[in-house]
Amino acid sequence: MDKITKISVTGMPEPAGNIYSNALAVGPMLFMSGMTAGEPTGDAYEQSVRCFERIQKLVEGGGGKMSDVVKITVYLTDIAYRPDFGRARSQFFSGRMPCSTLVAVSALADPGYKVEVDATAVVGGS
C-alpha cells in the first residue's frame, strides 16, 4: 500500500486549525482540496485564473504538471460565469482535457468568492 504524503508549497499556507490539507499524494495520485482565488476579489475570470495558478503550484509541488490533471470539479456561484471560467481554463489546459464537473452553488466560503475548483492528478501520467 502507498503511503499518504502531504504536499505543501511555498506561498500557499495550509488551512488554519489543521482542519484539512491542501493536497495529499498517494502513490502517483494527487488529490487537491477546492481552491479559491485566495482573496475574494476580482471578477469570475480573474478568480478562475488564480484558482488554476494555485492548483498548478500544488501539482508542481507534487512533482507533476498541469497535463497530469485528470479531473476537476468546478463550483460557480452564478452559471453566467461559465464563459469566463472556460476562458481561464483554456490558459492552463489544451489537447486532452481533464474530465470535468461544473456545478452552480448558492454560496462559497466567503461572499466575495465566485469560483472554487478542486482537482485530481496522476503525476507522470501525461
Side-chain angles (χ1 to χ4, degrees), residues 21-68:
S21 298
N22 283 332
L24 297 173
V26 183
M29 300 289 296
L30 183 59
F31 300 90
M32 289 159 274
S33 293
M35 291 291 120
T36 60
E39 293 295 326
T41 59
D43 63 22
Y45 168 75
E46 294 165 332
Q47 287 194 21
S48 298
V49 167
R50 292 198 312 264
C51 290
F52 282 122
E53 288 171 344
R54 297 178 86 205
I55 288 169
Q56 184 171 18
K57 284 182 183 181
L58 290 170
V59 170
E60 290 173 354
K65 50 191 174 186
M66 287 299 276
S67 58
D68 292 333

